Amino acid sequence: MEITIRTATPQDAKALLAIYAPYIQNTAITFEYVVPSVQEFQNRILHILQNYPYLVAETEDKIIGYAYASAFGERAAYAWTAEVSIYVEQNHRKRGVGKKLYQALEKALQAQNMINLIACVADTEQEDAHLTKNSLHFHLHMGYQIAGTLHQCGYKFHKWYNIVHLEKYIRSHPIEPSPVKRPQYTLQNRKRE
């Protein structure tokens, strides 16, 4: 299966929402309860693209996954730290899509002079119909390290779930870090990676 990675556009919102909605409706992977509208999702994409990469994976012109970065914190000292998120269409999981997306996302973030990546992953002591440890294992496989756990902080499907914070450094930590750059694309340029 040939996978192409490119920058997302607001026009991708419907396809991305089709991937994301089952995670909201059937899993505790996201703590969101209600599927957003296409317009809301377009706004989210536009908001992210102002400062961070938002990437989609395609095969045969069908979007099968997406990944993006966002602000970890609002204070100036967090400028070199980004939170990462990824969602892969259910039928394409465990086929290398997530790995390709994260590799491209890391490359884009390195070009912006980002240093720290944070992933917040839902976790449970006992796997159930709504949550397995697949996401946690994927991030560990991608080189993330567990930084800590917030216990029973998310309630969904009549159960309390944990959040595991994972971190990964994609650059060294210099005394004077280079300024963070804006993403290197425009919405008119659907850059292929």
Side-chain angles (χ1 to χ4, degrees):
M1 173 174 70
E2 186 177 332
I3 301 167
T4 302
I5 307 294
R6 65 166 173 81
T7 298
T9 72
Q11 291 73 35
D12 295 322
K14 187 174 180 182
L16 300 186
L17 202 50
I19 293 169
Y20 185 49
Y23 284 98
I24 296 172
Q25 296 163 330
N26 305 320
T27 79
I29 288 171
T30 174
F31 285 174
E32 196 158 4
Y33 279 23
V34 178
V35 177
S37 68
V38 172
Q39 180 63 53
E40 166 63 19
F41 218 73
Q42 287 175 333
N43 292 341
R44 291 182 188 187
I45 293 168
L46 285 168
H47 178 73
I48 293 293
L49 286 172
Q50 290 176 25
N51 296 300
Y52 297 96
Y54 200 130
L55 305 176
V56 299
E58 288 181 318
T59 187
E60 299 174 4
D61 290 324
K62 179 182 187 272
I63 295 175
I64 57 172
Y66 66 97
Y68 62 90
S70 59
F72 174 69
E74 297 302 319
R75 304 286 186 236
Y78 290 123
W80 295 270
T81 301
E83 184 175 338
V84 294
S85 298
I86 186 167
Y87 294 93
V88 175
E89 198 270 328
Q90 301 287 325
N91 295 329
H92 287 88
R93 290 172 33 199
K94 298 189 178 188
R95 294 168 128 189
V97 178
K99 182 177 180 179
K100 279 195 93 159
L101 276 167
Y102 257 15
Q103 287 172 337
L105 188 66
E106 288 178 18
K107 184 177 175 184
L109 289 165
Q110 283 175 329
Q112 288 185 253
N113 293 325
M114 289 291 175
I115 297 173
N116 308 304
L117 303 185
I118 306 294
C120 300
V121 175
D123 190 35
T124 180
E125 304 301 322
Q126 287 251 267
E127 292 188 3
D128 59 38
H130 303 292
L131 189 64
T132 67
K133 294 190 174 285
N134 287 347
S135 186
L136 179 62
H137 293 155
F138 168 75
H139 283 85
L140 292 171
H141 176 74
M142 292 301 297
Y144 286 76
Q145 307 265 334
I146 294 175
T149 301
L150 302 175
H151 298 278
Q152 298 183 22
C153 62
Y155 181 76
K156 193 171 180 182
F157 302 118
H158 308 289
K159 182 175 176 182
W160 289 98
Y161 291 99
N162 303 336
I163 282 288
V164 176
H165 285 256
L166 298 105
E167 61 186 353
K168 181 176 183 178
Y169 304 143
I170 56 172
R171 288 180 170 273
S172 62
H173 291 82
I175 298 297
E176 291 293 331
S178 299
V180 174
K181 299 176 184 176
R182 291 182 65 82
Q184 300 297 307
Y185 52 78
T186 65
L187 292 181
Q188 292 76 36
N189 176 17
R190 289 173 56 135
K191 183 175 95 176
R192 303 250 174 197
E193 305 250 333

